[in-house]
Amino acid sequence: MNLMEEYIVSARKYRPTSFDTVVGQQALTTTLKNAVKSGKLAHAYLFCGPRGVGKTTCARIFAKAINCMSPTEAGEACGHCESCQAFNEQRSFNIFELDAASNNSVEHIKTLMEQTRIPPQVGKYKVFIIDEVHMLSTAAFNAFLKTLEEPPAHVIFILATTEKHKILPTILSRCQIYDFERMTVRNTISHLKAVAEKEGVQYEEQALAVIAEKADGGMRDALSIFDQAVSFCQGNITYQKVIEDLNVLDSENYFIIIDLAVENKVADIMVLLNQIINKGFDGGLLIGGLAKHVRNVLMAKDPQTLPLLEVSDQQRERYQEQAKKCETRFLYDALRLMNQCDINYRQSSNKRLLVELTLIEVAQLTQPDDAVGSGRKPSRLKSLFKQLIQQPQPKKAAPQVAAVEEVVSQSTQSAQSTPTATYNSASRPQLKKDIGSSFKKLREKTQSSKGKMQIIPGTLPGNPYAVIKDERLEFTQQELELQWMMMCNRMPQHLSGIATRMKNMNPVIMEMPHLEVVVENQLAYDQMMEIKGSIVNTLKVYLHNNTITLDIKVAEHQEKVRILTRREQFELMEKEYPAVGKLRELLDLELA
């Protein structure tokens, strides 16, 4: 019980007591020490920055140094004079601290301003530290403004805030402003190492790196998490125990996913994704962490950008090893895909499918069988189309080709005269049911011109814009929904509004190959009708059925109930409850 009463959290126990012990703010502390040495002190200072970076701590150290009777040559307080002793024992009458969050009224500020008139009994200055000063009301700011503008010679104000933008410009213009920086991961790790050694705690550097990243630039947060980890790990902080305690996704998963993606192992990635989701981690969290991981791998490829990695030395070496395996183009494309997934994640109705599609596309970026297109990103020929037979027809293109070429004619002129490939129906392969073949279909790009969505089908031998003649493959509802979602993700930027609506629509197979989709209102119906032709052509190509038709209908809403007026409501009540009418007559009331 006595040990529990004597316990002090690390954030308080190891709070800096001099400028030299402040972590990560060397430029600011040097400026403040020089001001103390030279005696050139302003009458008001404003310390601003994120939480837990040392604003209030520096304000106390500065106030102590200002009133020290014999400061050191470096500008630090001596710690032995009467003023320093009074400060250390919390009995100083020259240094006042006010929490503006709970003392933000005009009366509190007026009481404080009255104390500024009394000169200090010991020392040179009366120092007023006002924490969270942005919480003062406008009236309190105005009451404070006059004293701040022309304070007595023996008064110095030190204001601290986490939200500088909320302070009146008239206050800002009268202060010397010091912007505190977030703690770097490297500085945080170094400080945690020092604390762990003083406390006799064993640690793994990678575990301290996880704590530093979780703290997000705040040293106080880092020390609080450190105390939590010490309690959980019983004095031996290991990486596995820390990620378990903090519920952090193991970074090893990111290394494995990228290694599998480089080797095009889609199935293994899907299994790993399922394991991660079953552990309770959100798919969006995985995509965000993986994007950060890929960014770090990209930074590790170049010695110039290597210092940008805020990780432990052990992790830095791992990033460099993986960077050697990954091409720069692959990392660029992977970042772009994950950024697009992050943008669409919140509004997606099937979030897991969106994450799976993104990871599958990332895993296909390095396919060895890419076909080289003219100036466009290569489209891949999957196993379904290995038995294609090319039959040149230079004179006239097939009707299916013409339907698609009519859409892409605005972006290319060579497609009108290129030969067309046909398909041998006798050797048509069957669709596989496994997840890998569900996505092994032609890829497409979308371009915009004059408000229409242009479709560029996958490349076939001899003709980059050819389609397969007389295809009538049957497809399932699941395959229809999959291609519908992929089409929405590929729609151009100027159609992003209708694309978002289409993601929440559910196309239905009425009678093969006739499709129907129901829209919520007339506006959506009009927008869909403008691009209906492009939608149908896209589904024909990717579902391999040239006889697909599509009906778009507006949902039938129930008949609206007319809202009754007050008089009609009263008459209805009076009819249902005659006593109400008798009461009105008895009291001689009239409805206003």
Side-chain angles (χ1 to χ4, degrees), residues 259-479:
D259 286 339
L260 293 175
V262 172
E263 298 173 5
N264 313 124
K265 295 182 178 180
V266 175
D268 292 342
I269 294 178
M270 293 297 101
V271 172
L272 180 58
L273 172 63
N274 185 64
Q275 294 174 356
I276 293 172
I277 292 177
N278 288 341
K279 290 179 181 178
F281 292 103
D282 181 64
L285 176 68
L286 171 66
I287 291 295
L290 188 59
K292 183 178 179 181
H293 174 86
V294 173
R295 176 260 181 195
N296 288 345
V297 175
L298 187 62
M299 296 299 104
K301 287 189 74 69
D302 193 328
Q304 291 183 341
T305 56
L306 193 59
L308 298 179
L309 291 181
E310 291 193 350
V311 295
S312 63
D313 294 336
Q314 183 181 356
Q315 287 288 89
R316 187 187 300 259
E317 293 176 1
R318 292 210 59 190
Y319 281 121
Q320 287 180 298
E321 291 176 4
Q322 191 166 69
K324 297 175 183 177
K325 305 176 185 177
C326 302
E327 296 182 359
T328 304
R329 185 65 186 176
F330 164 75
L331 298 174
Y332 285 154
D333 291 341
L335 278 175
R336 176 181 53 79
L337 290 171
M338 286 181 285
N339 180 62
Q340 191 63 35
C341 176
D342 184 59
I343 293 173
N344 297 328
Y345 187 78
R346 287 193 176 183
Q347 61 190 14
S348 174
S349 59
N350 193 339
K351 293 179 170 53
R352 175 162 182 168
L353 178 60
L354 178 61
V355 173
E356 290 176 342
L357 284 174
T358 301
L359 294 178
I360 289 167
E361 288 187 270
V362 171
Q364 290 180 339
L365 290 174
T366 59
Q367 286 279 21
D369 57 347
D370 285 349
V372 180
S374 55
R376 295 182 175 87
K377 185 171 181 174
S379 300
R380 300 173 181 84
L381 298 180
K382 302 302 179 182
S383 58
L384 285 176
F385 306 102
K386 288 182 178 178
Q387 301 183 29
L388 289 174
I389 302 175
Q390 181 179 355
Q391 296 182 359
Q393 297 179 0
K395 293 184 179 180
K396 185 176 180 181
Q400 292 83 356
V401 180
V404 179
E405 287 181 349
E406 182 179 356
V407 182
V408 300
S409 60
Q410 298 176 10
S411 61
T412 178
Q413 298 178 355
S414 61
Q416 298 177 355
S417 59
T418 49
T420 304
T422 58
Y423 182 73
N424 185 359
S425 59
S427 59
R428 181 178 66 186
Q430 296 295 323
L431 286 174
K432 295 182 180 180
K433 300 301 182 182
D434 64 300
I435 189 168
S437 60
S438 296
F439 302 104
K440 287 188 176 181
K441 295 183 178 180
L442 293 174
R443 301 181 70 193
E444 71 178 6
K445 280 185 175 289
T446 55
Q447 300 177 345
S448 58
S449 176
K450 298 183 180 179
K452 295 184 178 180
M453 180 173 63
Q454 298 180 343
I455 311 300
I456 302 179
T459 304
L460 295 180
N463 181 8
Y465 303 108
V467 294
I468 299 171
K469 184 177 181 181
D470 295 333
E471 270 195 310
R472 298 192 179 186
L473 293 181
E474 292 191 359
F475 49 88
T476 64
Q477 178 68 28
Q478 182 180 4
E479 291 171 334

Side-chain angles (χ1 to χ4, degrees), residues 16-239:
T17 57
S18 64
F19 287 124
D20 289 339
T21 56
V22 176
V23 180
Q25 311 293 346
Q26 283 77 11
L28 298 184
T29 55
T30 300
T31 305
L32 295 176
K33 284 193 293 183
N34 291 340
V36 173
K37 286 192 297 182
S38 63
K40 297 179 179 178
L41 301 173
H43 66 273
Y45 296 85
L46 176 63
F47 293 170
C48 46
R51 69 181 190 278
V53 295
K55 300 184 297 297
T56 307
T57 298
C58 283
R60 292 175 179 174
I61 297 172
F62 189 40
K64 180 181 177 182
I66 288 173
N67 274 321
C68 180
M69 297 177 177
S70 55
T72 65
E73 295 182 358
E76 297 273 13
C78 68
H80 304 294
C81 65
E82 174 58 27
S83 177
C84 291
Q85 289 292 338
F87 178 84
N88 294 337
E89 296 171 6
Q90 298 182 357
R91 56 181 176 81
S92 175
F93 292 101
N94 293 341
I95 300 174
F96 301 87
E97 285 194 42
L98 178 71
D99 178 20
S102 55
N103 301 280
N104 56 4
S105 65
V106 177
E107 289 74 16
H108 290 122
I109 294 300
K110 286 183 177 179
T111 302
L112 188 68
M113 295 304 102
E114 289 175 0
Q115 296 181 14
T116 62
R117 301 175 184 175
I118 305 172
Q121 300 301 314
V122 179
K124 302 177 184 178
Y125 299 98
K126 270 197 170 183
V127 183
F128 295 86
I129 301 173
I130 304 179
D131 205 2
E132 301 298 336
V133 70
H134 65 274
M135 297 293 289
L136 290 178
S137 63
T138 304
F141 266 130
N142 291 332
F144 178 48
L145 186 59
K146 184 62 178 176
T147 305
L148 184 65
E149 184 177 7
E150 297 178 358
H154 59 268
V155 171
I156 293 178
F157 292 104
I158 304 177
L159 315 179
T161 179
T162 55
E163 301 185 44
K164 176 183 172 182
H165 60 279
K166 291 186 178 180
I167 299 178
L168 297 178
T170 50
I171 301 291
L172 294 176
S173 64
R174 290 169 170 82
C175 299
Q176 281 191 10
I177 301 175
Y178 290 79
D179 289 305
F180 284 67
E181 301 177 356
R182 288 182 178 273
M183 300 293 173
T184 64
V185 172
R186 186 171 294 276
N187 283 340
T188 305
I189 293 174
S190 299
H191 190 61
L192 291 178
K193 283 182 180 179
V195 173
E197 290 170 359
K198 292 177 182 178
E199 292 291 319
V201 176
Q202 297 180 348
Y203 60 87
E204 292 179 2
E205 184 173 347
Q206 193 174 357
L208 298 184
V210 172
I211 296 175
E213 291 177 9
K214 187 78 172 179
D216 193 25
M219 186 62 75
R220 183 172 61 236
D221 291 358
L223 290 170
S224 299
I225 299 172
F226 174 80
D227 287 345
Q228 177 183 339
V230 170
S231 298
F232 182 79
C233 302
Q234 292 296 308
N236 185 14
I237 303 178
T238 63
Y239 175 74

